[in-house]
């Protein structure tokens, strides 16, 4: 006769059965019929909307000026200051900002642009919008960012620009990238959608390259619903960008002719319609003011995750920060070592959702998306480092309104699933 901890009496054979049942009742994943770690679902991301944001938006609504106006201009000034950039242009998205940068640099048909496959599709899509060719350079297996050594191998006579992405908020190897770009006369446009708070070797992201594009999409660290920012230190590029972002209408033309009576604005270029509105800027301004405070909370959660998950042998955790850089802590991602699991990433992520933990995938490598496979003939094996990460990666909730219990629920759910699904 054996006695289980909770006092049930079982025979040896029964005891095996009982303890198995007991174990299952505690550790069976919800997706397999067990009890979830959380009753209420922990969403993957949630923008922080406080009184400041609401008041600022109401003030704008009541002012009667909703379009691109004083709030947008002020947001640009404040963001330029924050990013240590000479100029900042507020736009409708990071995607639009990146495409506009390519337009200003006159990159189009016949040109090649190099980027990482381990990014959101928009980074590559905009190159195609311009009629240019996108070339991928594989990532560093340690940092998950574009590997300068692969950039070097991808450059041809047609290469005009590189778009490094600061994946999850970790700055790419900008010293090496800047040097390669200089040596081969390439432009650099940074995709800093994840990296508003980041610093690289003592320099603020936004101040380094020809252009830097930021995102204020609803899930990003500074969120305005939809929105983006393009920074540069080049006055002429900035002025041209401002014109092209709003139909290509030139205020200069207005000034030139207005002395002779009323003349409407003239189009000096077939411009885009990708301006930011004052309503969006009203959300951005207070968020920019609280960004460093939020960043501290994100960093605390990050450290708790690192501490917990470094003990789990079957998981790859994010690399430690490089000296003299600041990680923006936008996304915290884990990578499964697939050979150590009975299930694949998609099943693992589905199971995590069933435990009540929202999660995401950042990112499926771009070359493996249907359009890229079908149009360019890309296939599994083309960029093995990106694939090893992108096919096994998933991101966990990391945002300032999470409390201690939320964080420990995430950790417990991961531990539970790892225990159950490990080979
Ligand atoms: C979100 C994101 C973008 C696109 O940002 P939008 O503002 O939605 O256009 C671009 N690149 C990366 C890496 C992103 O995560």
């Amino acid at each position: 006769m054996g006695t289980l901890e909770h006092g049930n009496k079982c025979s040896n054979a029964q005891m095996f059965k009982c303890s198995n049942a007991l174990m299952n009742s505690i550790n069976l994943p919800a997706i397999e019929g067990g009890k979830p770690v959380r009753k209420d679902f922990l969403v993957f991301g949630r923008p922080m909307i406080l009184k400041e944001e609401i008041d600022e938006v109401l003030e704008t609504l009541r002012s009667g000026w909703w379009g691109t106006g004083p709030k947008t201009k002020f947001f640009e000034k404040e963001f330029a200051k924050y990013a240590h950039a000479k100029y900042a242009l507020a736009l409708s998205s990071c995607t639009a900002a990146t495409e506009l940068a390519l337009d200003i640099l006159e990159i189009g048909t016949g040109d090649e642009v190099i980027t990482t496959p381990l990014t959101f599709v928009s980074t590559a899509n905009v190159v195609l919008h311009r009629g240019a060719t996108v070339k991928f350079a594989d990532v560093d297996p340690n940092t998950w960012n574009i590997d300068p050594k692969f950039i070097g191998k991808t450059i041809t006579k047609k290469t005009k620009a590189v778009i490094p992405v600061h994946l999850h908020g970790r700055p790419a190897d900008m010293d090496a990238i800047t040097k390669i770009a200089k040596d081969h006369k390439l432009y650099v446009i940074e995709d800093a959608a994840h990296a508003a708070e980041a610093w690289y070797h003592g320099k603020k992201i936004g101040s380094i390259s020809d252009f830097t594009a930021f995102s204020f999409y609803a899930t990003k660290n500074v969120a305005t619903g939809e929105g983006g920012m393009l920074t540069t230190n080049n006055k002429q590029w900035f002025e041209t960008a401002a014109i092209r972002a709003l139909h290509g209408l030139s205020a200069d033309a207005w000034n030139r002719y207005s002395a002779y009576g009323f003349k409407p604005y003239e189009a000096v270029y077939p411009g885009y319609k990708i301006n930011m509105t004052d309503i969006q800027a009203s959300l951005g301004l207070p968020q920019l003011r609280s960004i460093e405070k939020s960043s501290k909370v994100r960093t605390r959660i990050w450290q708790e995750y690192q501490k917990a998950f470094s003990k789990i042998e079957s998981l790859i955790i994010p690399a430690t920060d490089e000296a003299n850089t600041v990680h923006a802590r936008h996304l915290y991602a884990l990578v499964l070592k697939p050979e150590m699991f009975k299930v694949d990433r998609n099943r693992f992520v589905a199971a995590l959702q069933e435990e009540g933990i929202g999660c995401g995938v950042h990112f499926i490598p771009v070359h493996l998306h249907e359009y890229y496979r079908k149009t360019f003939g890309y296939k599994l094996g083309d960029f093995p480092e990106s694939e090893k990460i992108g096919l096994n990666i998933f991101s966990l909730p990391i945002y300032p309104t999470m409390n201690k219990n939320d964080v420990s629920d995430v950790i417990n759910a991961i531990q539970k699933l790892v225990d159950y699904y490990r080979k």
Side-chain angles (χ1 to χ4, degrees):
M1 287 279 269
T3 307
L4 287 178
E5 261 175 274
H6 60 291
N8 285 354
K9 292 223 162 39
C10 307
S11 70
N12 277 344
Q14 264 177 327
M15 166 142 151
F16 178 74
K17 245 174 138 181
C18 286
S19 57
N20 227 16
L22 181 65
M23 240 194 79
N24 281 352
S25 73
I26 299 167
N27 289 326
L28 191 67
I31 202 170
E32 313 286 354
K35 204 167 143 278
V37 166
R38 277 178 77 99
K39 276 203 205 77
D40 61 318
F41 191 73
L42 178 69
V43 296
F44 173 66
R46 184 190 288 284
M48 198 163 68
I49 302 299
L50 302 175
K51 190 173 177 301
E52 286 82 349
E53 277 83 355
I54 292 166
D55 287 349
E56 193 94 34
V57 170
L58 287 180
E59 187 189 281
T60 301
L61 292 178
R62 290 188 181 117
S63 80
W65 191 279
W66 296 5
T68 305
K71 289 257 163 99
T72 305
K73 295 297 140 200
F74 186 52
F75 186 36
E76 288 174 342
K77 286 238 154 58
E78 291 298 296
F79 195 88
K81 242 190 270 171
Y82 180 70
H84 295 199
K86 285 200 179 134
Y87 309 99
L89 183 67
L91 297 162
S92 56
S93 71
C94 176
T95 306
T98 311
E99 186 168 351
L100 182 59
L102 291 167
D103 179 305
I104 301 295
L105 299 173
E106 295 178 350
I107 291 167
T109 310
D111 298 332
E112 291 177 0
V113 176
I114 298 172
T115 192
T116 163
L118 202 55
T119 183
F120 186 53
V121 278
S122 71
T123 317
N125 287 347
V126 292
V127 176
L128 305 181
H129 295 172
R130 295 287 312 151
T133 304
V134 64
K135 292 279 183 166
F136 296 109
D138 212 349
V139 299
D140 178 317
N142 182 46
T143 64
W144 308 344
N145 276 324
I146 196 165
D147 187 334
K149 139 178 123 237
F150 291 125
I151 296 177
K153 289 180 182 160
T154 312
I155 292 173
T156 72
K157 281 202 180 71
K158 295 177 179 171
T159 310
K160 289 284 154 55
V162 185
I163 310 180
V165 178
H166 308 302
L167 193 74
H168 302 165
R170 179 188 308 283
D173 186 354
M174 291 312 299
D175 281 348
I177 293 167
T178 306
K179 179 165 188 322
I180 291 172
K182 221 174 186 171
D183 291 349
H184 293 85
K185 296 196 169 53
L186 310 177
Y187 294 115
V188 178
I189 304 164
E190 293 172 49
D191 179 332
H194 298 177
E197 301 92 330
W199 293 71
Y200 173 81
H201 289 184
K203 291 186 201 123
K204 191 81 185 65
I205 294 298
S207 69
I208 299 169
S209 299
D210 296 303
F211 285 105
T212 306
F214 297 87
S215 175
F216 308 134
Y217 178 65
T219 58
K220 301 290 156 70
N221 287 11
V222 172
T224 63
E226 295 283 358
M229 193 72 81
L230 184 64
T231 64
T232 181
N233 294 320
N234 184 311
K235 186 164 190 259
Q236 203 201 321
W237 285 346
F238 168 71
E239 287 172 353
T240 310
I243 290 168
R244 292 187 184 182
L246 197 52
H247 305 295
L249 295 177
S250 167
D252 289 343
W254 162 257
N255 289 336
R256 240 188 351 263
Y257 295 115
S258 59
Y260 302 95
F262 178 77
K263 284 264 171 70
Y265 278 55
E266 252 193 291
V268 294
Y269 187 84
Y272 302 94
K273 180 62 166 54
I274 51 173
N275 53 307
M276 179 179 277
T277 69
D278 273 19
I279 299 175
Q280 291 165 300
S282 304
L283 288 166
L285 278 164
Q287 295 205 4
L288 190 58
R289 286 195 289 270
S290 62
I291 190 171
E292 291 299 321
K293 212 170 122 198
S294 300
S295 185
K296 285 206 180 80
V297 187
R298 289 176 192 277
T299 298
R300 265 208 306 278
I301 299 171
W302 179 284
Q303 286 161 347
E304 275 186 63
Y305 282 165
Q306 286 289 74
K307 200 169 136 219
F309 301 135
S310 63
K311 296 179 190 130
I312 304 180
E313 191 203 348
S314 53
L315 298 175
I316 298 167
I317 61 168
T320 50
D321 299 344
E322 198 197 334
N324 203 16
T325 66
V326 175
H327 189 299
R329 311 288 187 223
H330 174 55
L331 291 168
Y332 184 91
L334 293 169
V335 177
L336 300 177
K337 293 180 182 167
E339 70 281 4
M340 298 181 79
F341 283 90
K342 288 183 270 192
V343 290
D344 65 5
R345 186 269 315 275
N346 290 355
R347 179 72 179 172
F348 195 95
V349 164
L352 199 51
Q353 297 265 139
E354 289 295 313
E355 294 303 324
I357 309 294
C359 44
V361 169
H362 305 89
F363 292 100
I364 296 164
V366 178
H367 68 284
L368 296 180
H369 282 261
E370 181 186 298
Y371 179 82
Y372 285 83
R373 278 187 286 111
K374 286 197 172 155
T375 312
F376 305 108
Y378 286 122
K379 58 189 184 318
L380 203 63
D382 285 342
F383 301 98
E385 300 300 345
S386 297
E387 290 163 9
K388 267 183 244 163
I389 298 156
L391 298 178
N392 298 298
I393 202 167
F394 59 99
S395 318
L396 299 177
I398 180 168
Y399 47 94
T401 50
M402 284 172 74
N403 62 34
K404 265 193 162 20
N405 284 338
D406 295 335
V407 176
S408 55
D409 284 346
V410 174
I411 293 170
N412 292 339
I414 294 283
Q415 185 68 60
K416 174 181 172 182
L417 296 182
V418 165
D419 289 345
Y420 188 83
Y421 288 123
R422 254 208 67 176
K423 263 186 198 162

